[in-house]
Amino acid sequence: MFYSQDHPAVFSALVGLIVLVMTAVGLSLLVDRRFQFSSGSRQMEKDFAADALVLETLRDRHDRHTRTLESQTGRETQASYGEWMEKTEELEKATADLSVLSAELAAEIASLEEEFREYRAEYRRTTWAAAEGEILGNLRLRGGKEYRDAKIKRVSTVGLEILHADGLARIQGPDLDRALQDRFQWDAEERHLALARERENRSLVTRAESSGTAPTAKPARQPAPVHADLGSLRFRVRAWRAKVDVLSAQTAEADSNASLGGRISVPGSLETWQARAGRLRNELERAGMELSVARSRLSAVAPGDPMLVDD
């Protein structure tokens, strides 16, 4: 057996040899690790440099494509803007042409309507006059009623006034058959206005009769006698004043529409606003004259009456 106390020199040599070997191995491992670390660092640096180059290349490509896209987009936008401007100018020109055409058509339509209105008025005048005395025979109405041996006495805005076997009758246009309505061309608005005037006149006469002051056969402009009933005279002034107010408002409306629409017809009627304004002015003038007569009659009886004071 080998012991250190027997061979101290040899044992020390062996220990030293072992220490040297271990030191050499450690140094070798340390050098190898440092070499590996150095090699890894250089490789990483190479990889970083390669990645930086790739990144720079990608940036260059991105910038180049961005500039190309912006250039193409700008050209396309300018082209689109130019096309839209051309289309806008074309539409504006077409709109102006349509406006001119519309104005020409409106003027032509107004002229045709005026010509038709004049033609219709002349047709009605001659047809109505020629129908007087015409024998109709047995005239059956749309409601079933029948007049025997009917003969036209007169054609009015309301309808027919006839003589028949049992006396006289007035038949409104809508009660007659379609052939007679087409022939005489009655107007619903004219008929309503005529009937309204008749009702108004009957109301005035009825109220005057109820007060015992019915109009006599004296001339319309003859001053009322001093003993005339004051209430009746005041009533006539009030009635004609109301009529003047209504006609004034209607005339103002017709004048306003005539100034705006020229010869445009009144809705629901072939009468133009201009024609209606003229007709209403005539009616207003007549109503004003009647109001003056009524005021003078009242003034002869009661000069200081409040009804003589203008509103």
Side-chain angles (χ1 to χ4, degrees):
M1 193 135 195
F2 185 74
Y3 298 99
S4 60
Q5 58 268 28
D6 294 331
H7 303 282
V10 175
F11 183 78
S12 299
L14 288 173
V15 171
L17 181 60
I18 292 171
V19 170
L20 288 175
V21 170
M22 293 297 294
T23 302
V25 171
L27 290 174
S28 175
L29 292 173
L30 179 61
V31 169
D32 184 60
R33 286 183 179 179
R34 293 189 64 182
F35 179 76
Q36 289 179 357
F37 178 76
S38 176
S39 298
S41 299
R42 286 195 295 272
Q43 185 62 38
M44 291 178 64
E45 290 178 356
K46 290 181 180 179
D47 292 341
F48 287 154
D51 291 342
L53 181 61
V54 172
L55 181 60
E56 185 66 25
T57 302
L58 291 175
R59 285 177 178 172
D60 291 341
R61 291 177 62 185
H62 174 268
D63 294 341
R64 185 169 61 256
H65 288 311
T66 300
R67 288 191 296 270
T68 301
L69 179 61
E70 290 177 350
S71 176
Q72 292 178 352
T73 303
R75 287 195 297 270
E76 292 175 357
T77 301
Q78 292 178 357
S80 300
Y81 178 76
E83 293 176 359
W84 280 110
M85 287 298 296
E86 291 178 0
K87 291 181 179 179
T88 302
E89 292 177 356
E90 293 175 358
L91 288 175
E92 289 178 350
K93 185 178 182 299
T95 302
D97 294 341
L98 287 175
S99 298
V100 173
L101 179 60
S102 176
E104 293 176 352
L105 289 175
E108 185 175 353
I109 290 173
S111 176
L112 291 174
E113 287 180 344
E114 181 66 18
E115 291 178 4
F116 175 75
R117 187 191 67 79
E118 294 175 354
Y119 166 78
R120 181 171 179 269
E122 178 63 19
Y123 168 82
R124 293 206 310 171
R125 186 185 66 78
T126 55
T127 304
W128 291 11
E132 294 181 2
E134 180 180 341
I135 298 176
L136 299 176
N138 293 338
L139 178 63
R140 179 178 294 275
L141 305 186
R142 299 180 67 181
K145 186 174 181 179
E146 185 176 19
Y147 292 97
R148 294 180 296 109
D149 301 328
K151 177 181 178 181
I152 297 177
K153 180 176 181 293
R154 187 172 75 93
V155 183
S156 67
T157 56
V158 174
L160 289 182
E161 296 178 6
I162 64 171
L163 298 170
H164 57 93
D166 299 320
L168 296 173
R170 185 179 72 169
I171 308 169
Q172 294 192 30
D175 295 331
L176 296 164
D177 60 34
R178 177 58 60 183
L180 288 174
Q181 293 185 40
D182 292 340
R183 175 184 173 187
F184 294 114
Q185 290 290 306
W186 287 294
D187 183 86
E189 184 178 2
E190 290 180 355
R191 179 169 55 85
H192 291 317
L193 288 174
L195 293 173
R197 284 194 295 268
E198 290 179 5
R199 287 192 296 270
E200 181 181 0
N201 293 335
R202 284 197 300 269
S203 175
L204 290 173
V205 171
T206 301
R207 295 182 62 177
E209 289 177 347
S210 64
S211 62
T213 59
T216 63
K218 297 179 180 180
R221 297 182 180 277
Q222 181 176 351
V226 175
H227 55 80
D229 182 74
L230 182 60
S232 175
L233 296 175
R234 298 183 81 246
F235 168 74
R236 289 176 181 274
V237 172
R238 184 164 51 249
W240 282 114
R241 180 179 292 172
K243 182 70 173 179
V244 167
D245 291 341
V246 171
L247 288 173
S248 296
Q250 293 177 346
T251 303
E253 179 188 10
D255 284 334
S256 177
N257 286 309
S259 64
L260 296 175
R263 294 187 172 184
I264 300 302
S265 297
V266 179
S269 172
L270 291 176
E271 183 182 33
T272 64
W273 283 110
Q274 187 175 5
R276 171 170 288 193
R279 175 174 58 79
L280 289 173
R281 274 193 294 271
N282 292 334
E283 293 184 9
L284 178 60
E285 183 178 357
R286 289 193 296 270
M289 294 173 61
E290 294 294 341
L291 176 59
S292 298
V293 172
R295 286 168 58 91
S296 14
R297 289 181 176 180
L298 177 60
S299 176
V301 176
D305 192 278
M307 290 299 298
L308 297 174
V309 179
D310 292 331
D311 294 336

